Amino acid sequence: MELTTWYLEQTDPSRIHPARQPEVPVEIRRAEVPSVELNRYLYTAVGGGWHWTDRLGWDWQQWQDWVTAPGVETWMVSVRGTPAGYAELDGRTPGEVEIAYFGLLPQFAGQRIGGHLLTTTLTEAWRLPGRWPDRPPVGRVWVHTCSWDGPAALANYQARGMELYRTDVTSVDEPAATPGPWPGANRP
């Protein structure tokens, strides 16, 4: 089977195309206290249905090293106090910020929350050096997504003003069932 990976970037914050407001009231906040448990929860809850497996084998120390790395940030969107999704920004490389992970929990899809979260994510990626004074100004925000990710992912990135700069198509084995957020069988 083929796996398509798209790489997108934005090279100027004026290129952000804001999304319409979500259908429900949301709050987007940065997790200012790094939390291994929070990040692992968000990773499995959001990515479990999309073949996010690269971090499943991480031990506590690997998660700790990630969440406490200078320039790494977690932004969470919530609906009436309930986590609905998140974005992880990786600003460790001078002059650029990668949207390392981005997505919603399944029950919150289709309510325009993702576009709104991405608008905020891009805005905060460009502002990252203001929170990490040792970082130089950002000249590029980038992300990659693939054909195994959510069906709205690529369109959302492009609608927010990110431009495609590379596409890779590789042959891969048929993926196993998604790991889901739960050990064993996924919810019914």
Side-chain angles (χ1 to χ4, degrees), residues 93-111:
T93 301
E96 66 181 48
V97 176
E98 177 187 5
I99 302 172
Y101 284 92
F102 180 91
L104 300 177
L105 278 78
Q107 74 191 73
F108 295 102
Q111 299 175 51

Side-chain angles (χ1 to χ4, degrees), residues 43-105:
Y43 176 82
T44 58
V46 171
W50 303 113
H51 299 284
W52 291 7
T53 59
D54 57 318
R55 293 185 183 178
L56 290 180
W58 280 15
D59 63 22
W60 187 91
Q61 190 60 55
Q62 287 171 296
W63 279 101
Q64 178 70 4
D65 292 346
W66 168 252
V67 300
T68 60
V72 171
E73 296 181 345
T74 302
W75 289 81
M76 188 173 66
V77 60
S78 58
V79 175
R80 295 191 328 236
T82 300
Y86 82 121
E88 279 185 358
L89 297 178
D90 180 358
R92 296 175 299 163
T93 301
E96 66 181 48
V97 176
E98 177 187 5
I99 302 172
Y101 284 92
F102 180 91
L104 300 177
L105 278 78

Side-chain angles (χ1 to χ4, degrees), residues 18-41:
R20 294 185 305 166
Q21 290 296 309
E23 295 175 1
V24 295
V26 300
E27 180 180 20
I28 300 173
R29 296 198 45 149
R30 177 177 164 219
E32 294 184 41
V33 178
S35 170
V36 168
E37 294 79 9
L38 175 65
N39 280 67
R40 188 171 195 295
Y41 157 73

Side-chain angles (χ1 to χ4, degrees), residues 4-9 140 143-145 163-168:
T4 303
T5 304
W6 299 279
Y7 296 83
L8 301 100
E9 67 182 353
R140 173 180 181 247
V143 67
H144 75 272
T145 188
E163 296 180 357
L164 188 64
Y165 70 90
R166 186 172 111 206
T167 302
D168 292 339

